[in-house]
Every structure is written in structure tokens, then in C-alpha cells.
Amino acid sequence: MLKNILDGEAPSSVFKQMIVDNPALTNIDLSNSLANEFDNLNSQAAQLVWHWQRPGKQQGLSDENLDALLLNFFQEAGYLVR
């Protein structure tokens, strides 16, 4: 499912769908999945996911901020070309 990010889907949307599919997932689970699937990403990308304001959470990075920051990391790692 994380490969959908490479097809243009916003990372926050992908994470939200993963949570719908498995509500027990934590932000740490999501960040581990991201790091496992995209091993060239800067380790700071996983930390961003830890701090994401996912549905039901009251503090953290907004969807828009998370998406913008993560897409920059994807670009720096060579996964995306803009």
C-alpha cells in the first residue's frame, strides 16, 4: 500500500487507509513500515510520522505538513522526481 505514495497519493491519505484497514496500528508501526519499504529515506522521515496528528490525536504535524515534508524526503532519496 505504501507504494501508492510513489503513484502520487498523499502519504497522510495512505496512512489513514492503513489505519482504517488495521485500527490497531500506531504511528510507530506506520513509521517502521515506511522505513522498511523505503530504506533509502532519511531516518528523519520516520520521526515525522511519529509526530503526525493522525485521526483521533490532538497534537502533532498536520496532514499538509507531513505530506510536504515527507515528499521532500522522497525526492531527496530519489524515489520521486519533480
Side-chain angles (χ1 to χ4, degrees):
M1 175 170 274
L2 288 172
K3 297 281 185 196
N4 291 348
I5 295 169
L6 301 180
D7 293 332
E9 192 169 343
S12 61
S13 295
V14 172
F15 296 146
K16 286 177 183 178
Q17 185 57 52
M18 291 173 70
I19 293 167
V20 167
D21 293 344
N22 182 358
L25 286 176
T26 66
N27 283 21
I28 292 173
D29 295 328
L30 295 170
S31 66
N32 287 339
S33 295
L34 185 73
N36 289 336
E37 187 136 355
F38 301 106
D39 56 346
N40 290 337
L41 280 180
N42 185 312
S43 62
Q44 291 177 337
Q47 292 176 18
L48 292 173
V49 179
W50 295 347
H51 297 290
W52 172 50
Q53 185 181 340
R54 65 184 277 153
K57 195 173 170 189
Q58 301 209 349
Q59 294 182 357
L61 286 172
S62 68
D63 291 352
E64 295 80 16
N65 286 337
L66 177 72
D67 294 339
L69 293 167
L70 279 181
L71 291 176
N72 282 333
F73 281 118
F74 271 86
Q75 185 177 3
E76 289 172 6
Y79 289 110
L80 295 175
V81 178
R82 289 188 191 186

